[in-house]
Every structure is written in structure tokens, then in C-alpha cells.
Amino acid sequence: MDPLSSVIVETGRCVFAFLFTGVATLLKLRHNTDCLRKEFEKLEDRKNGIEEDVRLAETEGKCATEQVKGWLRKVEEIGREVQPLLEKGDRIAVQGCNPCWNVFPRYRLCRRMAKRRLEVKQLINSCNFDNVVTDKKSPVRAVEKQQGPSLAGQREAEEMIYKLMELLKGGENNRIAVWGMGGVGKTTLVRNLNNELESSSLMESIDIVIWITVSKDFDLKKVQSQIAKRLNLELGANDAIEERAKMLLKRLMKKRFLLILDDVWEQIDLDIVGIPQSDDQANCKILLTTRSLDVCRAMMTDKQIKLDVLKEAAAWNLFAQNAGDVVEVPGINPLARAVTRECGGLPLALKTAGKSMRNKRRIELWKHTLHHLRRSDPHIKHIEDEVYHRLKLSYDSLPSKTLQSCFLFCSLYPENYSIRTNELIQCWIAKSLINEHQPLEECFNDGIALIETLKDSCLLEEGEYAGTVKLHDVVRDVAKWISTKQGSEEPCTSISLTNITKSPKQFSGFSELNVLFLVANPINKIHDNLFLGLGKVRVLNLSQSHIVSLPASISQLCELRALLLRDCCYLEKLPSLGSLYKLQVMDLSGTRLRELPNGVSKLNKLRELHLSRTHHLETIEAGTISGLQSLELLDMSCSAYKWDTRCNAEDGRASFNEILTLEQLSIVKLRLDKVDSIVLDATWLTKLREFNIQISAGSYDSNHLATQHDEKRAILRGIDLMGIKGLNGLLTTASALDLVICGGISAISELSVSHRLSSLKSLKSLSVSKCDCITSLISGDNITRMILPNLEHLSLNRLENLGEILGGMVPRKGCLRWLKTIEVVDCKKLKTLVSFALLQQVKHLEEIKVKNCRKMKYIMSGEVSAEMIPKLRVIELSDLAMLKSICSRLPAWPALETLEVRNCPMLAKLPFATSNGIATLKEIRGELQWWNRVVCTNDKIRYSLQQRFQPLQPLQCSDIDVTWVRYQHIHFINTQYSYEL
């Protein structure tokens, strides 16, 4: 080949190689670009997934691990290199194969892509981390210890903690409240509960316990922040409450938690906070502390546990613990115990007073402290700051000024005094704290509502007797302290003097006085001028004083609304009261008056006249009662006055017909010797809202059962039920009937026959005592229709010859169909309480109580089924020497909650067939010796019952302790109230 041809061939070969290399490089570049893009997209997906995990973790208070952070940084770095390469590769791909292109730059680009692709693949392969995130803060502990005094060794407190633990274990109690007065130890109790949870088996079902202090100044965002902090969750301070709630809800939905809300003063909307509710609440339990039962209601708690003040021994131990060994010094010990009593069992007061006296060994200091505590003078700085101010918060939280005034009014009564609720309401009406321009029933309802609100706020508590309330000693001291603070500038309007032996001569300078209390004083004479210048007094209370008369100056009290002389047991005479024309309430119960004072008939605004237990009252002038046309309540129960005698104008005595003329009368309580000469008309009785009429010849004793509100009670004592006439109206309208030592009938059903009554359908309560003629409650003889169809409560006591409740062929439908409670005591011939025939009737039975029936062998006879006793909740059995069985064993008890067995030695088997059939049973009470003899069908039942067993201590006979209360001589003057020292 010639040289030219060689040159041409070689040139062609080079051109072809160049073109081929360019095309090949271009094709390889496209391939590398596509591969790099795919790998990088995979890397981006991995990165996005990990970043999402990190973002979610950050909402839970966590952060990415250092390894992940380094990997993400490398991804960011390689991304900054890969993106330009891909963009350049895409441009070359669009331009195609151009011979003018420089192959070498394309080649270098291709090599760089291959290298980056390898790096991307390595990053993809290296992202399999063991942990993507780690806790940003320290790990969340399941229980966070709370600082506070330990309750170890305090038996009552430990029992309360155990009770709360048991309630938290149960699935039915998702919301539990511990409530009680300020300073009673609610927070201390729950703090100790919180601290004991850490080692409790309860934590097997709880992931975290969250303690939140709410306090009076409730701040919703603050509460949210406290919860978030406990969860290591970061909430934005500027985020809306709703957004914060969503974040809390999302986190809490993943947790099984116990939320403790301490010191709650008002309803908290848990939905707004972000707490799971309704169906979402399965893993949520809430325990709250509060001073107000109303808060418990608003928070819809399932269980409310009231924490009471300490008993004497526990109170002394707490005081001694804080005061130190000095309390055992012989001269100081009685003083220290007296100081402890002044604290009234209130832990806050005990600790504060104890610390203030710690190791003080001078007797003078202890006497000084005791003196000031008895005067309700918080001379100890800590008492005022730590006790009085904290208790005043409850007063400040009352919803109205009226309630605050009602509370302060209660402090006028002596220390530890049980105040009759009716009397308290009378005083509030007289002082215009309750609207007097409404019927008496509405006034009473308003008063009860006020009292219940004060009780729910722990500012009032139950008194020693039914129908009474009282102030805790420390709360009373706070009330007096508040009154002093408020009354430094205005004239005094109320005075209370107690334990005075001599009447003041006159209250000069008290022209604005409208309440005067001289309750429970040993004074026997009121000074003649005492009431001069007190024309604005609306309430005068001299109850339980030793006065024998009142001075004529009482006529000066022209604004008087309430004159209260209850249980002035030496009071024999009163001056004319005709000038007290605004008087609305006059209580002369328990006095020695022989006649009503002159002028009573002129009291045409009088609404209540109380003359119960006036055992010497013989004379009421004709026209006296009929003149009281505003009278709504007349109480003459156990009075000696004889209404039965047929009276005429010559006798000059008030007749029963005068009572019938009172159009406003709605409550009547009186005793009659007989009814033959008096018409107890059913129409008149029906108009009454409440009555208590006792028919008992020559007896002034009250019945053993008090009249309930709105109850119509008839009491027949010592009469022949078959021979007496005029009972039809009474028996037709009465809702409660008591028969005591009556004769003439062998069964109660005979009343229906002998008096031609339809079915005694108005009766809801029946009590039969000491009627030896009674052999059965309802006898089938001569009974053709239902008897006692609406009876709810049945009490049978000391019926020597009672052999059965139902006797003979009794109509099955309607008899005793609404019976709820049966109580039987000392019925010595009764062998079976509820026969099979009776069991068919009493489908609403709730309580059975039987005591001292020596021949009783069976409580319920025959084959008993759950359908027969669907509502039976309580069975209490005591002193039944022959009792063998309660009833046949049931697979399931529908409603039984309490079973108590005391001194029933022959009862060895309980009526429980399966352990699953006692789901509603809360407790079994009985002597330990008896329980150890009880035979169960299997160990599983035994174990289930054992969990519910509470041992009873044997009863011990002891003399009745009579406590005499000495009332302190108190007087201090302020705007609202005054006490004498």
C-alpha cells in the first residue's frame, strides 16, 4: 500500500475510533447518570425516613444519635456534589453525539459519577443503625418521689393508703377523690401513696405516675407544662392550648398512667388539658385531692374518700413528734395534752403548734399558749400564717357573700356545740340571709341547700345527733378571726356570750345590734334593762340557759323575728308578748311553762310555734291558736296540754277546732289522749305536708322513731286497735305507722278489715313493737285483696308471739311488692324470716337485719334464685343462736355488697356456690373464730371470700360515758360578731 493510502486508512481509522469512543463515552455517561440518580434517590428516601423518625422522636423529648447525625451530614455533603453532576450529565444527554465534542471532559465526568455512585451505595449500606435516636434528657422514671413527712407507723393513715391502693387496682374506679378540710393531711397522704407505688405490684399495670400540683390559682397552661415536663415532652410556650393538648393526648394515648391532681379547687376540663377521656380512658386513672365535694361531683369521680381529723391518740402522737420530749415533763404534760385538744385533731394545727413549742420547758409559756388558743387568738405567728390563712381560702372560695355570712353566723354558737339545722335556718331567715317572703317549705329548702354547700366545702360537719351540724374547733376559731379582721371599722351587729353567771345590765352603745346569743349559760335571771335600746334585734337566742323568767323590757324588741328559748328547763313564766308583732318563730320547747303568755294571739305573723316537751303546759286561752293565721308549723309533740276534752266558751281553753281553722298550717306534731271526741278528718290531714300524731293515753313519751321530712307519721301507743274508733282518716293518710304496746288484733292486716280500709296503701314505713297479740304480719284469713302494697320499710321489735310474716293463703299480687328493708329484733318465736311465699313478693328487697331471735333457723327458706333477690345489698345477722342457713347456695348474687355475721355459732356454711358469683360482694364482717369454722365448697371460693373478710371485735358491755362540755367564757367585739372573754 502506498504511503498515501496508508495515511488515508490510518486517518479513517482514527476518525472512526474517535467517533466510536465519543458515542461509547456518551452511552456510558447516560448509564452512569441514570444509575447515580437511582442510587441517590434511594439515599434521599433513606434520609427522609430517618429525618422523619428524628422529628417524631424530638416531640417526645429525644434526639438523633451522634452516628445518625454524622451520616446525615455526609448525605448533605455528597448531595451538594451529586446534584451538579446529574444536571451536567442531563445537558450532555440532550445535546447528543457531536464529533466536535471533547471526549476527555465527558470521560472525566463519567468517572466522577461512577465514583460518587459507589460512595452513595456505601452510605445506603451504612444506615442500618441500632438506635436512630436517644433520650435528649434523663430517662423518665415511672414514679417520681415526692418530698414530705412519712406516715409510717400511723395505723389509720396506712389503712387509708391500703384502701386507696385497692381502689386503684379495681377496674371500675378510674377517678378517685380524697377530700376533706384544709390542713387535714390530704396532700401528705397522697404523697406517701405516690412514694409507695414504686415498690407496689400496682405498677405492673401503670407505666408512669404523673404528679401535678394544681393549687387555687389554676393555670391550664401551667398544668399542661407540668405534665409535659414529666413526660420529657417539649411544648411551645407560644403554642395554642389546643395544639399543646393534641401533643399531650398523642403521647398519653401510648401510656398506661396514673394522674395525681393535688389541691384542686374547681372543675378541670380534662379534654382541654389533653387527658384521654371516654373510651380512650381505659389506660388512664386519676386521683385528685380537694376541699370540696362539689369539685368531686363536677369531676365525676367514681369514688370519694373523705379524710377526717385524727383521733385522740393519733393526734397526741403527731403533736408529741413535733414538740419533742418536753411533752413528757410532768408539769408540762397535762398542758401539752390540753393544747393538743385545742387543735381538734387537725394535723396542720398539731404540727404548727407542736413546732412552735418544741423543747420549750417553761410552764409559763405553755400556759400562755393554751390561754390564747382557748381565746381563739392566734398569738403564735405560725398559727395565723400557716393555719388560719390556709383555712381562710375555703371561706374565700364560697360562691356568695350570703354563704360567707351564714358560715360566720355559725361561730356564734359555743365551741363544739351541735347546732340544730332547723334552728340555724330559722336564724338565717330572721337575719334576712334567706328570703322570708316565701312559704316555709321553700325557706327550709333554701336553708338545707346552704348547709349542704358549707358541709361540702368542709366548713360545717355533722353534729353529734341526727339533724345537727357543728363547726370544727379550729374552723370556728378561723371564723372568729375572720370576723375580727372584717369588723374593725363598723358597729357591732352580733354578740354571743357563753358561760356567764350573771346577766349584763345593758348593752349600751350597741344600737345596731340585730343578733343576741346567750346560749347554754348558767344565768338564772335577765336584768330588767338588758333589752332597752336594742330595737333592731331580730334574733334572740337564750336556749339551754337557766333563766326562770324574762323581763318586761323584751317588749322593746319590736323588730324581733325569732325568740328561741328551747330547753330553758327552769323557765316558768313569760311577760306579755303582744308587742312583738313581727315575730315569726317562737320556740318554747322543753320549758316549764304552765300557760302560754298573754298576747300570743296577736302574733299574726308567727309562722312557727314550738311547744314540744312542755310537760307542765295546762292552759292555752281560747282564741290563742285561731289568732295565729300565719302559722305554718305547730309542734306540740309530748306536750301535756289536752286537746281531747270537748271545750266550750265557758271553759276558756283552746279547742282542737282552732287548729282546723289555720289555713296556712302545713306541719302538725301533737299528742292526743284519744280520738273519739276529735274528728281527724282525712281531707284535713291530706292538706298537711307533714304530721306526727301520737295517740297514747296518759303518756308524754316521744316515739322511738323521729319524723322524717315530709313524712306523715301516726303513733298508736297502748291502745286497743280493734275497739278504738275515729282512726280511719289517720290510717288512710299516714305514710308511717308505729304500733307500740297495742292489742286487739293478731295480724296487721286486720286493721284493714276492722276499720274498713282498702289496703293501707299510703303506708311506706311500719314499725311494730311490744305488741304481744301479734302472731303474723299479714294473715290470709278474711283477706281477699292486696295488703301494704307500697310498704318500703318494716321494723318488728320484741314481738313475743310472732311466728311468721305471712300466714295462710295470702293474695300473691301486690302484697309487700315494694318492700326494701326488713329489720327484726327480739322476736323469740320466729323460725324463718322470709318464707318461700314471701320471697315471691319482695323483688325490691335491699336490706335484711336480724338480731336476737333465739329460734330463727333460716333467713330465706326454699330454693332461692337470683331472680328472687335482684336488689339485695345488705345482710346483717346478730345473736342468732339457732341459725343454720341464710339461704340455698346461689351461682351468682346480683347485688350483695355486705354480709355481717355476729354471734351466730351454728352458721357454718355461706350461700356462695362459685367464686365468680360474688363479684358485687365488697366485705364480709364477722368474728375471727366464726370465720375459721366456715366451710367453703372449694379453695377458690375460700380465697375469694378471704380477700373480703374483715374481723369484728367482740362487743363489750360498758357503762355509757356521759361527756359534759364546758363552754369557754368568750367575748370579743367586731363588726359582725362579738364574743366575751
Side-chain angles (χ1 to χ4, degrees), residues 688-704:
L688 298 176
R689 175 166 57 86
E690 179 183 324
F691 66 69
N692 186 314
I693 297 177
Q694 181 179 167
I695 300 174
S696 57
S699 172
Y700 308 145
D701 295 336
S702 63
N703 187 53
H704 63 288

Side-chain angles (χ1 to χ4, degrees), residues 109-213:
L109 178 61
C110 188
R111 291 289 300 271
R112 289 173 62 191
M113 283 187 175
K115 185 178 180 181
R116 295 294 174 257
R117 177 187 172 195
L118 180 62
E119 292 174 353
V120 168
K121 290 183 72 172
Q122 289 175 344
L123 282 174
I124 292 173
N125 293 332
S126 66
C127 73
N128 296 318
F129 308 110
D130 293 333
N131 292 302
V132 173
V133 295
T134 185
D135 289 330
K136 183 183 293 186
K137 302 175 183 177
S138 58
V140 176
R141 295 174 59 88
V143 178
E144 205 170 54
K145 290 280 188 178
Q146 296 294 318
Q147 294 298 319
S150 171
L151 295 176
Q154 299 183 30
R155 185 177 59 83
E156 293 176 1
E158 289 178 341
E159 289 177 356
M160 184 65 77
I161 289 174
Y162 173 79
K163 182 177 182 179
L164 289 171
M165 288 276 199
E166 291 299 305
L167 289 173
L168 288 169
K169 287 179 183 177
E172 67 277 9
N173 297 309
N174 286 324
R175 297 191 187 185
I176 302 168
V178 177
W179 73 290
M181 65 186 294
V184 80
K186 302 180 294 296
T187 298
T188 301
L189 178 76
V190 178
R191 276 177 179 164
N192 278 263
L193 169 70
N194 174 87
N195 295 345
E196 289 191 20
L197 282 172
E198 190 171 26
S199 58
S200 168
S201 61
L202 188 59
M203 294 308 295
E204 295 174 4
S205 59
I206 295 176
D207 297 327
I208 185 172
V209 178
I210 304 171
W211 177 288
I212 303 299
T213 301

